[in-house]
Amino acid sequence: MSGGTRLENANPMIFQRSGERLLKETDEDEDVHDPIDDREIFDLIRTINDPEHPLSLEELNVVEQVRVKVNDAESTVGIEFTPTIPHCSMATLIGLSIKVKLLRSLPDRFKIDVNITPGTHASEEAVNKQLADKERVAAALENSSLLEVVNQCLSTRSI
Amino acid sequence: MSHFSPLTFRACVVSVELHGTMAADSTLLLSLVEEFVSGLQDSKAKDTATGVKDGEFTVLQLVEALGLSLTSSQPHTRARGVQLLSEVLHECYGGLTEREVEVLIAFYENRLKDHYVITPPVLQGLRALTKCTVLPPGSAVSMLRSLFQDVHVQSLMLTERACVYNMLINLMGTREAELKGLGADFVFGFVQSMDGERDPRNLLLAFQIAKSIILRGYDLGKFTEELFEVTSCYFPIDFSPPPNDPHGITREELIQTLRDVLTGTPRFAEFLLPLIIEKLDSDVQSAKLDSLHTLTACVSQYEHKDVAEFLEGLWASLRREVFQTSSEKIESAGLASLSALTSCLSRSVLNSDSEDSLSTFLDLVLKDCKHHLCEPDLKLVWPSAKLLQAACSASSRASHIITVSVMPALIEQYNSRAQCSHRRTLLEVVQRFIQSVKTGRTSESEDSVFLDFRPSLCSVVFSALTETNSSLQITAASVLTSLAQQTGLLLDSDIELAVDHLSRLLLTEEDGSVSLAVVECAGALAELHPEAFISQMIPRLKKEMFSAPLVQDDNRAASEQHSHHAVRQRCLSALAAVSTRPSVVQQSTPVLLEVLSSAHTGGVGFSVEEVVLACRSLQRIAEQVQDTEETGRCFHDIIIPRLLSLALQAALQGDGAPGGRSPLLEEAVLSAMVPVISTSCSRLQPALAGQTASRAVSLFLDGDVSFLPDNSFPSHIRLLKKQQGDAWSQSQMVCLLMGCVCSLPRSVEVPRIDELLSELEEMSCTCSHLLSHTSAAKCFAGLVNKRAHGDSLDSRIQSTMTRVCSELDSASPSARTQAFTLVIWVAKALLLRYHPLFTTLTDKLFSLLDDADLGPLAADGFSLLMSDSADILNRGCHADVRIMYRQRFFSENSAKLVEGFNAAPQEKKPNYLKALSNIVNKLPKQVQVTELPALLSLLLEALSCPELGVQLSTLSCLQPVLVDPPPALIQQLEALINRLLALTCSPAMDVRIASIRCIHAVSRFPEHEILPVRARVLRALARPLDDKKRLVRSEAVHARADWFLLGS
């Protein structure tokens, strides 16, 4: 982050991180089938880095577990995310990062929907439409500079 | 170009050296000169130098012989001539007289004006002369004057420039006073010489000179800024050495020497500080980091007036870096700089007329940071707190100024906020302030800066301890610890109240993490204020533990029972935590012993688990208590006899006790008693430990019970003899003997050791009870390990081996297993001390790998050989453990193992693979990496071995190696990936997880090596994404994510 540039939102609200999921006895049991649940999906996306701050989407409350809906049997996942400010220019990028993370982390039987929490962003509809359009997502990922930014959001923090 | 004739020079020399006669071998010298100058044979210089050194000819004769070359009209011939002279001087400068040196210098100075091709050899010659100890006075100055006047250094080649720098370094080393006489001209000459230097090797030399100029107090005159400019233009250093690093120059070295120059004098302050402010604005992380480190270094030399005019700029940059950075390194470097800057300002002496720059500066910091502390849910609260704390830790004046301004605000915020998360953040900020002052304090006599806030801080902490939010309680506990560690801050009444709160939480708080924090806090407070714990907490905990839970026969009782157990558990661990001072130990250990004895008598019902925990607490106390006579007596004279007595009472009662079987008969309890005894014997009062050992020996050998309390034992106790039937209750007590005699310091003699060894050998071979015979074997091994070298030890081992071999040949499977147990422990004892007889035992072990029954056991045994055991044969027990015994074992035996593997029949091969992976697993990583190439094919084979255990253990030894893969492994990438991917579909989840972890580690291999397999790995990892086990899925997600990032 260069010294001179100003951030869109320099002092955002910080929320607490949820701890690691607690291990249950059944998790170690070979014979028990663990279904894919909301918390598991939330764990996938909560650690995604914000494109602007050295903070995770969870810490900025962009994603919350209550806005994650999964149905393992029907193979569907629905995510709603909340930009920190209504004019956040990063909304599409954040949505794309969430989508890509899930595409990489879930079996391909799942249908993945990523949307902005209703009423939290100025151009909600446009962003939702872009994120729902398979071809546009695929095309975006062909763009190497965009892919690099997405990968940065998805990489585990370094330096 | 001047045409100086060397004749004048020769005339001088001749006049001095009139007595010098032409030696007989003048022809030889002439031919050497001829061959060097015209024949261009460089080796002749060496020969000439040898001649001069051996006294065959003098330097004068050489000069005379050179005459024609030096006067030649061809510059190249003249250069060659000078070169010969310089090279000879380089070898022989030590033998020159002062007069000779003077003449030679005059000659060389003059030659500097000659044709440019002559300059390089002239410089070499001058450099040789600068090393002379007989340098005449004034010659250093004249040499440098000619040098600076006649030579443009930066037009020279690399080595000649180095030559100039070396001349300067040599002269600065020996002729400092003379050079200082040159005044600022010297600095100017140097500045001109290095201006524009590009080579890092030369830069190191030049920086070294500049550093000496500054640190040794050369007169910079009006050239301060020039010297700064000519060096600071390299800041920040951006250099990466060429790949094979031929010159061994590192970036760090350059950075450090340049930093030494730039920070060397406050006279650079006015130039350096603006430069740092400018470079901090850079986008390059390393430049920022270097600037911050340089800032920290320079302000430690500066006074407040040097920094005064740049304070605002520096603060703006530092604030920006800490507020906006994404890198922890930069953040901590920025905080360190702020600290250094604040302590620089704190050092200033105040005049009545000058303003107080420290408080001006801190006002600036407070103005920008303080208001963020009142927004505990926003991002900038932490960066602001860290900045304030960094300033706070710099000096006691700074901490006063800051705490006075910040603490009331924080306390007021805390009281006005209702949300727990806000309160916790505020409390954490408070804690960091307290800690920052603690580390920054130097004088003990001063009152704590928090004295004024003591009442409000205490009330905040105590109210937080009564909250229901667990994270708030945890934070409050650690704030309490920090407050107590501020000397003289808390009053006795505060401590009493604190102990009251802690006791209440221990008894009532169900949350595990809270009670952990409370126990930790109690431990820290008890170290500082033992009295309150002795008088209040211990009696209260005791009362609670011994109050019997109401026994009712419904579900509610079960849950009450459960919570009562949890209370006891917390009390037991708190008793251990508070017992660091001897005075506390005197009070707490009797309570723990009482738990054991009431468990035994059945007076108050304690479960086996609770008894085990009581033993653990005793163990922990033995580990942490100060080793004093008082505590030593407490353990050796009271606790250990009491433990032995209780165990013996339980053993004598056996199963048939009227009130049911005593918990002290349980293996878990006995095994928990062992470390209490062994820790006391190993670390508390060796003399008393010796006494304990001899008492224990006579108890076990003779049945001497005289030292035990409650002495109502029968007279015919024989603990080590074979019992009637399979009565194991007495025989298993041998583990207590082991704890006692095997952990003594080596200076303490074990009495009647041969007798003991015989009994133990007998017991381990004949007693069929598992704990008894294993403990006997371990005890035997522990004694053998420490036994002095000599025939008696050797014959003991020989006879045991004979006995064991015959047992191994017997038909009874249990006898064979017992014999094997003894072999493996004795083998370990001998391996650790490098005993020569170890090889006999190894051969036996290797042969057992082919054994139909004992093969798998033998393979597992290698893991026991290579790992540290917790209770015996470790350094804590003062065992004779040589360093690197694992490597030694490996290097002596790996070949045997491979051979054995190749020769073994198919069904026995897994034993070998398992043994191998057990051994490799425990090797230090460096050894693994060097040995891996030889074993790789075998390990890969082990991965395809059907046995799960072998797969798992191989995977676990591969994984650390994969983190930093040796080339041999990269060559086998294909085979490795295939086998690992196959294992991701294993039926066992452990294997699936371990193999996915290995695949994950492979993603950090050099990119060009693994890109070809990326697509295949990604496809293969799609399957475990849908694994039925969540743990497997999560590993797959991590691994796949990193493989995706590959190549971006």
Side-chain angles (χ1 to χ4, degrees):
Chain A
M1 196 173 305
S2 86
T5 52
R6 294 287 303 157
L7 302 175
E8 268 183 22
N9 184 6
N11 193 9
M13 289 254 258
I14 308 282
F15 292 78
Q16 208 183 337
R17 270 181 286 172
S18 41
E20 291 291 304
R21 181 182 190 134
L22 295 176
L23 269 186
K24 284 188 304 203
E25 253 171 60
T26 54
D27 287 336
E28 312 271 0
D29 187 341
E30 295 268 4
D31 303 322
V32 177
H33 181 106
D34 311 325
I36 296 180
D37 58 13
D38 292 353
R39 174 66 205 249
E40 186 169 342
I41 301 289
F42 181 61
D43 278 338
L44 293 174
I45 57 173
R46 71 189 179 95
T47 52
I48 296 176
N49 303 328
D50 181 78
E52 264 192 346
H53 295 281
L55 294 165
S56 68
L57 294 188
E58 180 186 22
E59 285 168 308
L60 293 169
N61 216 35
V62 173
V63 294
E64 294 161 273
Q65 192 173 335
V66 291
R67 301 194 187 282
V68 174
K69 294 280 174 278
V70 61
N71 188 329
D72 195 10
E74 292 173 14
S75 300
T76 56
V77 174
I79 309 272
E80 284 176 345
F81 68 99
T82 318
T84 52
I85 45 175
H87 292 279
C88 181
S89 60
M90 300 284 174
T92 325
L93 179 60
I94 293 174
L96 190 61
S97 301
I98 296 174
K99 184 126 192 178
V100 171
K101 175 76 188 185
L102 292 178
L103 284 171
R104 289 177 182 179
S105 312
L106 287 177
D108 51 12
R109 62 187 165 91
F110 275 93
K111 178 179 185 307
I112 299 162
D113 286 318
V114 177
N115 290 304
I116 290 184
T117 313
T120 60
H121 196 268
S123 37
E124 187 184 322
E125 254 178 68
V127 175
N128 285 347
K129 207 169 157 192
Q130 284 189 42
L131 290 173
D133 188 334
K134 268 188 191 171
E135 282 175 18
R136 289 184 74 166
V137 171
L141 295 181
E142 295 287 311
N143 177 337
S144 64
S145 60
L146 189 55
L147 184 65
E148 195 183 326
V149 182
V150 170
N151 277 340
Q152 246 162 36
C153 295
L154 298 186
S155 65
T156 34
R157 224 168 284 166
S158 57
I159 314 172
Chain B
M1 199 51 52
S2 94
H3 285 280
F4 167 83
S5 154
L7 285 177
T8 46
F9 164 66
R10 192 162 49 169
C12 298
V13 178
V14 172
S15 68
V16 183
E17 299 274 337
L18 275 177
H19 59 279
T21 49
M22 255 325 193
D25 8 350
S26 67
T27 44
L28 169 64
L29 181 57
L30 279 174
S31 74
L32 281 172
V33 168
E34 174 65 23
E35 279 166 287
F36 184 87
V37 176
S38 321
L40 299 178
Q41 297 184 33
D42 288 344
S43 63
K44 296 300 168 191
K46 202 110 201 142
D47 299 344
T48 318
T50 317
V52 174
K53 260 193 275 187
D54 296 348
E56 284 175 52
F57 21 81
T58 62
V59 173
L60 166 72
Q61 285 162 347
L62 172 62
V63 171
E64 283 177 339
L66 273 170
L68 279 178
S69 336
L70 297 180
T71 50
S72 161
S73 62
Q74 290 300 315
H76 285 280
T77 312
R78 294 204 299 281
R80 214 46 204 168
V82 177
Q83 190 185 345
L84 177 59
L85 180 59
S86 297
E87 285 188 25
V88 170
L89 289 178
H90 184 65
E91 301 273 328
C92 313
Y93 61 85
L96 297 174
T97 65
E98 188 175 324
R99 187 70 188 114
E100 281 172 325
V101 172
E102 193 175 350
V103 173
L104 284 167
I105 289 179
F107 166 69
Y108 274 116
E109 280 177 11
N110 193 291
R111 288 300 80 196
L112 280 174
K113 299 186 200 313
D114 200 345
H115 194 270
Y116 72 90
V117 296
I118 300 170
T119 310
V122 169
L123 289 173
Q124 278 175 36
L126 282 172
R127 185 187 53 180
L129 292 173
T130 57
K131 287 193 260 185
C132 285
T133 47
V134 293
L135 216 53
S139 55
V141 169
S142 83
M143 231 189 285
L144 289 182
R145 276 197 199 284
S146 332
L147 180 72
F148 291 150
Q149 190 182 331
D150 296 324
V151 182
H152 182 245
V153 178
Q154 290 307 317
S155 318
L156 299 171
M157 302 294 284
L158 171 76
T159 45
E160 279 76 53
R161 299 200 304 272
C163 201
V164 172
Y165 299 131
N166 278 315
M167 276 174 69
L168 292 177
I169 291 174
N170 292 340
L171 291 175
M172 289 173 89
T174 55
R175 292 288 182 279
E176 184 172 318
E178 235 177 89
L179 297 192
K180 282 183 177 166
L182 262 173
D185 287 355
F186 177 67
V187 176
F188 183 63
F190 167 69
V191 166
Q192 280 201 315
S193 312
M194 82 159 287
D195 192 358
E197 179 61 62
R198 294 167 306 278
D199 189 87
R201 285 163 284 178
N202 283 343
L203 277 176
L204 264 186
L205 296 173
F207 290 159
Q208 208 178 322
I209 298 170
K211 182 177 161 190
S212 305
I213 289 179
I214 291 166
L215 296 185
R216 302 253 189 88
Y218 285 78
D219 177 16
L220 301 185
K222 51 186 190 293
F223 300 114
T224 311
E225 186 166 2
E226 277 75 8
L227 183 60
F228 179 78
E229 288 299 330
V230 83
T231 46
S232 67
C233 62
Y234 301 98
F235 179 82
I237 296 272
D238 182 18
F239 163 70
S240 35
N244 48 359
D245 194 16
H247 312 299
I249 292 187
T250 63
R251 195 183 128 82
E252 287 65 36
E253 223 175 334
L254 279 167
I255 288 180
Q256 191 52 50
T257 31
L258 177 58
R259 187 175 298 155
D260 290 345
V261 174
L262 298 182
T263 62
T265 169
R267 297 182 59 186
F268 282 166
E270 56 177 316
F271 315 116
L272 179 59
L273 293 174
L275 181 70
I276 287 177
I277 294 175
E278 179 196 324
K279 297 294 177 192
L280 270 176
D281 224 354
S282 155
D283 276 339
V284 185
Q285 299 269 325
S286 64
K288 284 188 195 224
L289 210 54
D290 194 3
S291 305
L292 290 168
H293 288 151
T294 306
L295 176 59
T296 310
C298 76
V299 291
S300 67
Q301 315 278 331
Y302 292 174
E303 284 179 47
H304 72 102
K305 61 178 188 325
D306 301 319
V307 292
E309 66 177 297
F310 305 103
L311 283 178
E312 274 186 49
L314 285 171
W315 164 242
S317 299
L318 289 174
R319 184 193 56 200
R320 187 193 58 222
E321 290 314 312
V322 175
F323 273 10
Q324 291 192 6
T325 191
S326 51
S327 145
E328 272 175 33
K329 268 191 202 160
I330 289 189
E331 186 190 81
S332 62
L335 295 173
S337 297
L338 178 60
S339 240
L341 189 57
T342 313
S343 70
C344 164
L345 297 173
S346 310
R347 284 196 302 272
S348 61
V349 182
L350 284 185
N351 295 328
S352 52
D353 51 343
S354 73
E355 61 165 349
D356 178 1
S357 50
L358 176 66
S359 68
T360 322
F361 179 66
L362 292 181
D363 281 347
L364 214 56
V365 177
L366 283 165
K367 181 170 84 55
D368 286 342
C369 293
K370 189 177 159 188
H371 64 98
H372 288 304
L373 296 184
C374 305
E375 303 156 339
D377 49 354
L378 298 189
K379 178 195 168 195
L380 289 181
V381 63
W382 275 113
S384 305
K386 285 177 185 169
L387 282 165
L388 286 168
Q389 282 146 6
C392 197
S393 67
S395 70
S396 86
R397 256 182 77 211
S399 63
H400 266 104
I401 296 175
I402 290 184
T403 45
V404 162
S405 162
V406 165
M407 292 311 278
L410 281 171
I411 292 167
E412 192 218 307
Q413 275 294 314
Y414 180 90
N415 290 327
S416 65
R417 296 273 172 172
Q419 267 194 42
C420 284
S421 64
H422 294 171
R423 290 184 146 196
R424 193 190 61 161
T425 305
L426 289 163
L427 212 49
E428 279 173 356
V429 171
V430 167
Q431 155 140 38
R432 295 275 294 258
F433 271 108
I434 300 172
Q435 281 174 338
S436 72
V437 172
K438 184 182 73 182
T439 51
R441 278 194 46 161
T442 45
S443 60
E444 284 289 317
S445 56
E446 240 173 300
D447 277 337
S448 167
V449 294
F450 298 102
L451 207 54
D452 291 342
F453 312 110
R454 185 194 58 79
S456 40
L457 280 173
C458 282
S459 80
V460 164
V461 167
F462 293 144
S463 89
L465 282 175
T466 52
E467 295 276 351
T468 47
N469 180 291
S470 59
S471 55
L472 194 53
Q473 288 173 307
I474 293 170
T475 313
S478 57
V479 178
L480 180 55
T481 309
S482 308
L483 283 175
Q485 280 162 349
Q486 292 272 324
T487 28
L489 178 61
L490 294 187
L491 304 177
D492 285 346
S493 56
D494 298 329
I495 297 289
E496 269 170 38
L497 202 52
V499 173
D500 190 52
H501 275 287
L502 293 175
S503 312
R504 177 185 53 80
L505 284 171
L506 275 175
L507 299 179
T508 57
E509 184 52 54
E510 302 275 331
D511 187 310
S513 52
V514 175
S515 42
L516 204 66
V518 168
V519 167
E520 203 173 306
C521 175
L525 258 63
E527 173 99 47
L528 301 160
H529 305 280
E531 308 78 21
F533 285 84
I534 293 173
S535 63
Q536 285 185 64
M537 187 182 262
I538 294 178
R540 195 160 159 194
L541 297 187
K542 180 179 174 185
K543 181 165 162 260
E544 195 66 29
M545 276 199 295
F546 284 88
S547 73
L550 298 167
V551 185
Q552 291 165 359
D553 286 325
D554 54 15
N555 287 337
R556 216 175 117 238
S559 80
E560 250 169 44
Q561 195 103 42
H562 179 77
S563 80
H564 191 67
H565 169 67
V567 169
R568 282 178 169 176
Q569 206 172 335
R570 292 196 294 271
C571 291
L572 289 169
S573 70
L575 280 178
V578 300
S579 305
T580 44
R581 295 289 198 98
S583 58
V584 185
V585 172
Q586 298 285 4
Q587 303 302 317
S588 62
T589 50
V591 180
L592 292 167
L593 284 175
E594 207 174 319
V595 171
L596 292 175
S597 61
S598 358
H600 171 62
T601 56
V604 179
F606 283 95
S607 69
V608 169
E609 200 190 339
E610 286 159 357
V611 179
V612 168
L613 285 174
C615 291
R616 294 257 166 79
S617 293
L618 281 172
Q619 176 194 350
R620 197 174 144 197
I621 297 172
E623 281 162 359
Q624 74 195 10
V625 75
Q626 298 155 14
D627 178 19
T628 62
E629 167 92 24
E630 190 188 1
T631 50
R633 290 222 170 274
C634 178
F635 273 89
H636 288 293
D637 288 349
I638 299 170
I639 296 174
I640 295 178
R642 187 104 178 106
L643 289 179
L644 288 171
S645 155
L646 286 169
L648 187 56
Q649 284 173 21
L652 291 173
Q653 280 176 15
D655 269 336
R661 162 179 169 153
S662 162
L664 270 64
L665 273 181
E666 297 296 330
E667 175 170 345
V669 174
L670 279 177
S671 308
M673 280 186 186
V674 174
V676 181
I677 298 179
S678 65
T679 311
S680 332
C681 285
S682 67
R683 76 171 283 266
L684 301 176
Q685 304 289 309
L688 295 174
Q691 190 190 10
T692 299
S694 61
R695 284 166 172 176
V697 169
S698 56
L699 169 66
F700 278 83
L701 286 179
D702 312 328
D704 174 6
V705 293
S706 57
F707 74 102
L708 299 179
D710 308 328
N711 195 344
S712 53
F713 299 107
S715 55
H716 56 278
I717 298 171
R718 284 285 175 271
L719 291 172
L720 292 179
K721 293 292 177 211
K722 196 165 165 59
Q723 314 285 319
Q724 289 181 344
D726 57 346
W728 42 264
S729 61
Q730 291 182 38
S731 65
Q732 67 175 357
M733 276 184 70
V734 71
C735 67
L736 301 179
L737 175 68
M738 171 190 88
C740 196
V741 293
C742 292
S743 54
L744 296 170
R746 265 180 276 168
S747 56
V748 178
E749 193 86 20
V750 178
R752 299 162 72 187
I753 188 162
D754 285 305
E755 217 175 316
L756 260 184
L757 287 172
S758 307
E759 297 282 352
L760 289 167
E761 179 190 314
E762 181 64 26
M763 184 173 195
S764 77
C765 289
T766 56
C767 177
S768 58
H769 180 243
L770 179 68
L771 177 62
S772 308
H773 77 74
T774 313
S775 302
K778 284 160 90 171
C779 188
F780 184 87
L783 291 172
V784 163
N785 174 267
K786 284 192 227 178
R787 188 87 209 267
H789 265 293
D791 291 339
S792 84
L793 175 63
D794 291 355
S795 58
R796 160 60 61 194
I797 297 171
Q798 303 279 16
S799 77
T800 307
M801 275 308 288
T802 323
R803 165 97 188 256
V804 163
C805 287
S806 74
E807 298 275 348
L808 281 174
D809 291 337
S810 78
S812 142
S814 69
R816 298 190 71 212
T817 316
Q818 277 173 244
F820 172 77
T821 310
L822 184 57
V823 173
I824 196 85
W825 280 105
V826 175
K828 187 171 172 69
L830 297 183
L831 164 67
L832 294 180
R833 65 182 282 186
Y834 287 1
H835 195 280
L837 283 174
F838 174 65
T839 44
T840 5
L841 279 95
T842 349
D843 292 345
K844 191 77 212 162
L845 285 176
F846 277 113
S847 71
L848 286 174
L849 283 175
D850 281 330
D851 190 286
D853 304 318
L854 293 177
L857 212 56
D860 288 336
F862 283 93
S863 147
L864 192 152
L865 273 189
M866 300 297 279
S867 50
D868 292 320
S869 60
D871 50 355
I872 195 174
L873 291 176
N874 54 42
R875 291 201 168 84
C877 293
H878 307 286
D880 188 354
V881 182
R882 301 297 176 84
I883 52 167
M884 305 211 283
Y885 72 90
R886 295 185 180 90
Q887 285 92 312
R888 189 178 141 123
F889 176 74
F890 176 79
S891 57
E892 282 174 4
N893 296 297
S894 61
K896 272 188 224 169
L897 204 56
V898 175
E899 238 167 69
F901 172 79
N902 291 329
Q906 197 58 41
E907 73 276 11
K908 300 285 165 40
K909 282 191 193 286
N911 289 344
Y912 283 88
L913 291 174
K914 202 196 249 177
L916 178 73
S917 62
N918 277 335
I919 296 172
V920 177
N921 228 332
K922 295 291 181 331
L923 284 179
K925 177 134 187 302
Q926 299 90 316
V927 187
Q928 281 185 344
V929 171
T930 50
E931 298 297 338
L932 199 84
L935 298 173
L936 197 59
S937 54
L938 216 55
L939 286 173
L940 289 177
E941 179 115 12
L943 282 184
S944 23
C945 165
E947 202 175 312
L948 291 179
V950 177
Q951 290 172 356
L952 255 187
S953 127
T954 313
L955 286 169
S956 73
C957 80
L958 265 178
Q959 203 201 337
V961 182
L962 292 176
V963 174
D964 187 11
L969 193 59
I970 297 179
Q971 282 161 18
Q972 299 271 4
L973 184 69
E974 192 64 23
L976 178 71
I977 287 282
N978 284 339
R979 289 187 164 83
L980 289 175
L981 289 180
L983 289 179
T984 60
C985 305
S986 157
M989 67 183 283
D990 290 347
V991 174
R992 296 202 295 275
I993 290 175
S995 60
I996 294 174
R997 279 192 185 145
C998 286
I999 293 172
H1000 192 180
V1002 174
S1003 74
R1004 310 223 165 82
F1005 277 28
E1007 218 168 81
H1008 62 279
E1009 302 280 359
I1010 49 172
L1011 268 179
V1013 295
R1014 177 175 180 262
R1016 184 146 58 98
V1017 172
L1018 287 177
R1019 260 198 316 279
L1021 285 178
R1023 193 179 144 167
L1025 289 181
D1026 213 0
D1027 198 281
K1028 67 174 180 173
K1029 296 310 297 175
R1030 186 171 295 121
L1031 292 173
V1032 180
R1033 292 199 295 264
S1034 116
E1035 290 298 336
V1037 164
H1038 288 132
R1040 199 162 188 256
D1042 278 356
W1043 275 92
F1044 259 112
L1045 292 179
L1046 208 71
S1048 67

